[in-house]
Amino acid sequence: MRILHTSDWHLGRSFHRVGLLDAQAAFLDHLVATVRTREVDAVLVAGDVYDRAVPPLAAVELFDSALHRLAAAGVPTVMISGNHDSARRLGVGAGLIERAGIHLRTDPAAAGTPVLLTDAHGEVAFYGLPYLEPALVREEFGVRKARHQAVLAAAMDRVRADLATRPAGTRSVVLAHAFVAGGEPSDSERDITVGGVAAVPAGVFDGVDYVALGHLHGSQRITERVRYSGSPLAYSFSEADHRKTMWLIDLGAGGEIAAAERIDCPVPRPLARLRGRLDELLADPALSRHEDAWVEAVLTDPVRPPEPMARLTARFPHALSLRFEPEQTEDSAAAASYAQRLRDRDDRQIAEDFVAHTRGAGPDAGERAVLGAAFDHVRLDLTRREANG
């Protein structure tokens, strides 16, 4: 069975205030064309269809158009909700849409109920595990602690239990939206940390033939059977070196991965990250190849130059981001900016640093637990409010 694995469309998202709806439409044109020309048997969308719980109307219309074209192509599609989606909104009308071959899996309680598709070698069971917010699904799965690994392991127990009731030789595919250990993140994914732990081991998914992952935006292989497709478009400059693709997977008669091919996605405009003094960036002939790119420039001038963005866009008209990181001297290193000191530190670490700064000693284990619980509560409350609109 030939499977086209994609995820993280983020319909409705912009890139540094540049609308991407046309680029997203071009990707969906490419997706449908690939389905037809490469004789795809099933399309998998592993979550984050939309960029936010209540997407703009234009994004909804684009999604609706894509569903109509996939249904017209006669190729079954299985998709799950991600952490950016409102599972309840995305799942509205799922029963009716299923008649057209579009299988929306947004209810955690249905984790063990597969979509069954058939090829010349028998059935393939597709299990959709929507994004599982631990605190919201802990009771559904009967786990003691609200942790990603616990709820995913419980969901996979349901998958394996159902699979055990199927005829011998039934092949299996799982769609999941999660941060799996070994994956390489980028700056554009929303943090899903709970209790300081977000990543789950790939071994959670043992016992199935292929795992189609969503959430991380870089296409990558965790194991031969566990892969991220990544997002079809770049959503941050940290993805400047990404090759945006979909996975075309041939699942063999015995459940083996007979072939795995990356299908390139259309690139609306290349990305470039430039660093140096402004005069150097404006004069360097080697940078001519970036003049049509979306540009992020990091200026290292010791003193901020006048009108830097206006001067930069004179050469790079699509420059979108400008940052300042002055060349370090002994004095400037000691006076690093607040933003530089906070870079790569999460909210809880920043709070712990604040406690240490204000009283001369960092929080003890009990205080760290209180801070962690407070941040988890705020993040969970935001998730609930988004889900309920």
Side-chain angles (χ1 to χ4, degrees), residues 269-270 272 274 281-295 312-319:
R269 192 178 296 280
L274 309 182
L281 299 183
L282 296 179
D284 187 350
L287 300 182
S288 295
R289 67 186 189 277
H290 299 308
E291 290 176 358
D292 195 43
W294 280 323
V295 168
L312 190 70
T313 54
R315 181 178 188 188
F316 305 102
H318 305 289

Side-chain angles (χ1 to χ4, degrees), residues 134-388:
L136 297 182
V137 301
R138 179 175 63 85
E139 292 185 4
E140 167 62 37
F141 290 107
V143 299
R144 187 170 61 87
K145 291 187 176 180
R147 295 291 184 267
H148 285 283
Q149 183 171 346
V151 296
L152 266 173
M156 282 302 302
D157 285 344
R158 293 189 184 183
V159 168
R160 285 184 283 264
D162 179 83
L163 194 56
T165 69
R166 302 286 164 186
T170 299
R171 291 158 292 166
S172 55
V173 175
V174 164
L175 292 78
H177 196 86
F179 185 1
V180 175
E184 182 66 32
S186 60
D187 292 344
S188 55
E189 299 117 6
R190 181 181 296 172
D191 181 29
I192 58 172
T193 302
V194 175
V197 179
V200 300
V204 165
F205 300 104
D206 285 352
V208 297
D209 295 315
Y210 183 69
V211 181
L213 292 174
H215 179 58
L216 299 186
H217 288 180
S219 179
Q220 51 200 297
R221 190 187 79 161
I222 305 300
T223 70
E224 182 64 14
R225 297 180 180 275
V226 180
R227 300 170 188 251
Y228 282 98
S229 68
S231 61
L233 299 171
Y235 292 118
S236 72
F237 277 103
S238 66
E239 301 166 57
D241 294 330
H242 285 191
R243 176 187 165 198
K244 294 300 184 181
T245 62
M246 304 177 284
W247 281 112
L248 189 66
I249 302 293
D250 284 349
L251 192 64
E256 73 279 8
I257 306 299
E261 178 185 352
R262 291 176 69 183
I263 305 294
D264 289 295
C265 297
V267 178
R269 192 178 296 280
L271 306 186
R273 305 182 91 174
L274 309 182
R275 183 183 183 89
R277 296 191 178 197
L278 180 58
D279 288 341
E280 295 170 352
L281 299 183
L282 296 179
D284 187 350
L287 300 182
S288 295
R289 67 186 189 277
H290 299 308
E291 290 176 358
D292 195 43
W294 280 323
V295 168
E296 177 185 66
V298 179
L299 300 186
T300 60
D301 301 71
V303 177
R304 184 176 298 213
E307 300 184 333
M309 195 60 168
R311 294 166 64 189
L312 190 70
T313 54
R315 181 178 188 188
F316 305 102
H318 305 289
L320 298 178
S321 175
L322 185 62
R323 295 192 290 114
F324 294 91
E325 293 183 6
E327 296 165 349
Q328 294 291 297
T329 64
E330 283 189 26
D331 291 338
S332 63
S337 73
Y338 183 67
Q340 288 172 310
R341 294 199 303 272
L342 298 188
R343 187 171 300 147
D344 299 324
R345 301 184 67 76
D346 63 30
D347 291 340
R348 188 167 62 171
Q349 290 171 322
I350 293 169
E352 291 177 5
D353 289 347
F354 177 77
V355 172
H357 174 73
T358 55
R359 74 178 186 191
D364 58 27
E367 291 168 332
R368 282 197 298 272
V370 170
L371 285 171
F375 282 111
D376 285 349
H377 175 78
V378 171
R379 188 186 55 78
L380 179 59
D381 182 62
L382 175 63
T383 300
R384 284 198 181 104
R385 284 191 281 114
E386 286 188 346
N388 293 328

Side-chain angles (χ1 to χ4, degrees), residues 11-187:
L11 300 180
R13 188 164 185 158
S14 60
F15 184 80
H16 288 266
R17 298 178 302 281
V18 174
L20 292 178
L21 210 62
D22 287 345
Q24 291 170 336
F27 159 69
L28 291 173
D29 290 344
H30 171 67
L31 171 70
V32 174
T34 300
V35 166
R36 295 181 182 275
T37 60
R38 299 302 299 269
E39 298 180 337
V40 170
D41 297 307
V43 175
L44 310 184
V45 186
D48 282 352
V49 173
Y50 293 119
D51 189 55
R52 57 180 187 263
V54 185
L57 179 59
V60 177
E61 290 174 339
L62 187 57
F63 178 59
D64 180 65
S65 171
L67 294 189
H68 276 82
R69 287 187 289 164
L70 287 170
V75 177
T77 299
V78 184
M79 59 178 61
I80 61 173
S81 49
N83 60 301
H84 279 249
D85 299 309
S86 166
R88 292 175 63 185
R89 282 190 173 84
L90 188 62
V92 169
L96 184 61
I97 294 172
E98 191 156 14
R99 298 180 188 178
I102 308 294
H103 306 274
L104 294 170
R105 291 294 185 260
T106 63
D107 182 2
T113 304
V115 175
L116 297 174
L117 302 179
T118 305
D119 66 5
H121 305 290
E123 286 188 334
V124 181
F126 292 83
Y127 298 90
L129 310 186
Y131 171 65
L132 302 175
E133 175 61 49
L136 297 182
V137 301
R138 179 175 63 85
E139 292 185 4
E140 167 62 37
F141 290 107
V143 299
R144 187 170 61 87
K145 291 187 176 180
R147 295 291 184 267
H148 285 283
Q149 183 171 346
V151 296
L152 266 173
M156 282 302 302
D157 285 344
R158 293 189 184 183
V159 168
R160 285 184 283 264
D162 179 83
L163 194 56
T165 69
R166 302 286 164 186
T170 299
R171 291 158 292 166
S172 55
V173 175
V174 164
L175 292 78
H177 196 86
F179 185 1
V180 175
E184 182 66 32
S186 60
D187 292 344

